[in-house]
């Protein structure tokens, strides 16, 4: 499989802080700046992924390009899932959202729960 990690390091809000790249060795690709990828590069990345670990954000629009068997794990400060609200989550069989607490714009503080959930998913 092809495992991708995107913790929104390039974002000014709703990003993972204090993760210190601890999980990087478990992934085939670490995305640090999704915005620097062309549309074609993003489509290829999402299509190739068998596991995608991320934080809720607009990049999840690309779920429509994923293989239906892709496992997606999403961390979000609040219950706010656009793929669930607008039905694109039906494109894949496994989309799990873990609520981390805070408000809509809160960064997420990396912790053992996030680490263990990520390891269990991949």
């Amino acid at each position: 499989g092809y495992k991708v990690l995107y913790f929104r390091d390039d974002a000014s809000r709703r990003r993972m802080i204090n993760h210190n790249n601890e999980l990087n060795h478990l992934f085939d690709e670490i995305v640090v700046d999704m915005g620097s990828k062309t549309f074609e590069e993003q489509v290829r990345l999402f299509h190739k992924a068998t596991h995608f670990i991320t934080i809720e954000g607009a990049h999840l629009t690309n779920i429509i390009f994923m293989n239906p068997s892709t496992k997606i794990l999403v961390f979000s400060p609040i219950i706010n899932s656009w793929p669930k609200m607008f039905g694109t989550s039906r494109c894949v069989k496994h989309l799990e959202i873990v609520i981390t607490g805070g408000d809509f714009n809160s960064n997420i503080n990396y912790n053992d729960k996030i680490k263990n959930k990520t390891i269990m998913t991949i």
Side-chain angles (χ1 to χ4, degrees):
Y2 196 78
K3 300 173 180 106
V4 178
L5 176 68
Y6 175 50
F7 272 164
R8 291 174 48 106
D9 294 332
D10 54 328
S12 60
R13 59 192 174 93
R14 284 197 331 268
R15 60 189 173 97
M16 190 69 67
I17 56 174
N18 301 319
H19 63 91
N20 301 317
N21 302 317
E22 178 181 1
L23 299 171
N24 287 11
H25 69 283
L26 301 171
F27 292 87
D28 298 298
E29 186 166 348
I30 311 301
V31 179
V32 214
D33 184 1
M34 189 68 76
S36 70
K37 291 188 176 296
T38 65
F39 175 70
E40 182 179 348
E41 290 169 332
Q42 287 187 35
V43 170
R44 287 182 193 276
L45 174 71
F46 279 76
H47 183 70
K48 183 163 54 169
T50 59
H51 297 76
F52 198 88
I53 312 298
T54 192
I55 295 173
E56 179 69 34
H59 61 284
L60 284 171
T61 302
N62 292 321
I63 199 170
I64 63 173
F65 303 115
M66 291 182 143
N67 184 303
S69 63
T70 302
K71 287 186 172 186
I72 305 170
L73 176 62
V74 178
F75 297 103
S76 181
I78 63 170
I79 299 171
N80 179 54
S81 171
W82 287 76
K84 293 271 187 187
M85 283 189 281
F86 295 104
T88 56
S89 63
R90 292 187 301 244
C91 293
V92 294
K93 294 176 186 157
H94 182 83
L95 171 69
E96 182 176 0
I97 301 166
V98 175
I99 306 304
T100 57
D103 63 32
F104 179 75
N105 293 311
S106 291
N107 289 328
I108 298 170
N109 196 25
Y110 181 78
N111 58 39
D112 284 340
K113 178 183 177 185
I114 291 168
K115 174 185 174 180
N116 295 334
K117 193 67 177 163
T118 299
I119 291 169
M120 287 175 29
T121 300
I122 58 170

